[in-house]
Structure formats: structure tokens, C-alpha cells
Amino acid sequence: MGLTLVACAPTTHTTPYAKTPPIPSSIIKLGNTPTNNSLSRQHPSNSSAWVFIEGDGTPWVLGRWPAQRPIVKKPVAYPLWQNTQATALYLKRPCYFDNTSLKPSDFSSVKTLPNHCTANWWTTDIYSQGVIRALKAELENALQQHAISHYILIGHSGGGTLATLLADNMLHKPLLIITLAGNLKPIQFNHIHQLPKSTLTLPLLNIPQWHYFAHQDDVISYSAQNICHIQTHVHCYNLTDTRHSDGWLMHWPAIKKKIQYFIDSQ
């Protein structure tokens, strides 16, 4: 009998575990040239990096049972990263990759996940401090190794949740946070999708934020997620001809232009 997977983001109550699963080195590209997994190319100083975080994929089966692996069927952040000419980092999420793959598990032949990768890392602990610590260490390493002075965070779906939590934990704050169909209210999201109860409320950050929503999104509700009335430096945009995981590449040239203008004005 086939099982139907419920898309996108669950959330978090943290369970203590002895070790945080390692992330394989993320992919950074300088201009149009990826450095693959090495992060070894020198980068000029005083520049800005665009940091991408992928969505949650399908971590739950029927909203009840943990999936065997958190498959991302339609990556959004990855093709945007590929179509970004600036210095760009595709920040790998713990337990979403094996130790050698450059791509998320749905479009590469991932055979074995790293040690310590159990289902809690993509279900109940998906936004936990263990995950944030791993992402923070990877990002700080990339910024230091390439002498990158400034960066922005761009996250799709649950990657937008992680971008917000990561920004809150970084000593060196991003210039800008951008979410695409972001899960900004995990408590409401889990309730609507009948997922395990969440107690996570995202922090209010004194950082410019642009939240883009898909007009035809059947996963993230714009009305349920809208937080723009809370802070004046937070802006929301509702994009037409866009679904949760479709249509973003069409809007990306205009969004890129706006981002670059913002960076240049800083």
C-alpha cells in the first residue's frame, strides 16, 4: 500500500542528544564558479555573500510518522543559488545530505546519511538548538575562511524558519533576511496541518526582513503567516503565479535586482 507524504515543515520541542550530526561542507561559489565541497578558494575581502537554506521537504508520513529520510522533492533554494551570480553559499542542513553529495537527497543518489542522523533531526528537533548550532558553525567557518564581511540569509519554507533562528544566534548579524513561502508561525502551521504540537515562536529581530508568499500556496497560508504589522522594518509581498515550490525562479531576477540595490545602498 502506498503512503501519501505531507509536505513541508513540522517543528520543534528539543530532545537532548549526545552529538549534533555533522554537516558535510556546504557549497560556495565565487561568481559563477562553485568550489564544490572544498570551500578552499580565496575570496576578496569586504564583500557580501548570499546564503541559501533549503526547505524541510517531507519529514512526516501522513503527518504522523517520521519519514525514512527528509526528501526535498522540489528544491527551491538550490536552483536560486545556481542562478545567483554574486558570491553565494548553499548552506547544507544536517541529515539532509550524505557525506559526499553536493545536492539534496531527492536529486542525488544519497545512500547513507551521516552517523547520528536519526529521524528526530528532521521531525521533532528540526528547528532545535542542535540544528542551529551546526548551521552556525558552518556559516561562521565560511565567512571566516573567505574573509566575507557581510551576508544575507535566504530561506525557503522551513529554511526561512531556520534563517530567522540562525540570525538570532549569530554574533555577526546578516544585513537582510529573506523568506520565500516561509513558515513564520510554526504553532499555527502545525495546528493547521495536524502535525505534532509546536511551542516555537520566532524571535522579533531588529534586522530588515522581506517575506515573500506564494499567492497559490496550499502549504503556507499568507493570512496565517503575515507578521508585517508587528515591525516597521519587516515587509511582506504576495506573489502571483506562484505556488509553494513553483514559480520562484520566474520572480528571482526581480528579487535579485532588489537585493543587490539594497546591498549597494548599505
Side-chain angles (χ1 to χ4, degrees), residues 19 41 49-50 60 72 94-95 134 149 172 193 214 221 223 245:
K19 295 184 74 174
R41 300 260 314 260
W50 302 32
W60 297 91
V72 183
C95 295
S149 306
H172 179 44
H193 291 277
S221 166
S223 60
S245 298

Side-chain angles (χ1 to χ4, degrees), residues 15-92:
T15 307
Y17 285 86
K19 295 184 74 174
T20 298
I23 337 183
S25 295
S26 295
I27 327 168
I28 193 168
K29 65 191 184 97
L30 313 179
N32 286 320
T33 307
T35 66
N36 295 327
N37 249 15
S38 66
L39 288 176
S40 60
R41 300 260 314 260
Q42 184 61 40
H43 190 280
S45 60
N46 299 319
S47 60
S48 298
W50 302 32
V51 181
F52 294 82
I53 307 176
E54 199 65 75
D56 297 342
T58 50
W60 297 91
V61 178
L62 297 176
R64 293 185 180 183
W65 299 284
Q68 187 174 8
R69 67 173 61 254
I71 296 174
V72 183
K73 289 186 175 181
K74 288 186 176 181
V76 171
Y78 189 81
L80 298 184
W81 171 81
Q82 288 180 307
N83 284 273
T84 298
Q85 288 70 48
T87 298
L89 174 68
Y90 185 79
L91 195 61
K92 290 185 174 183

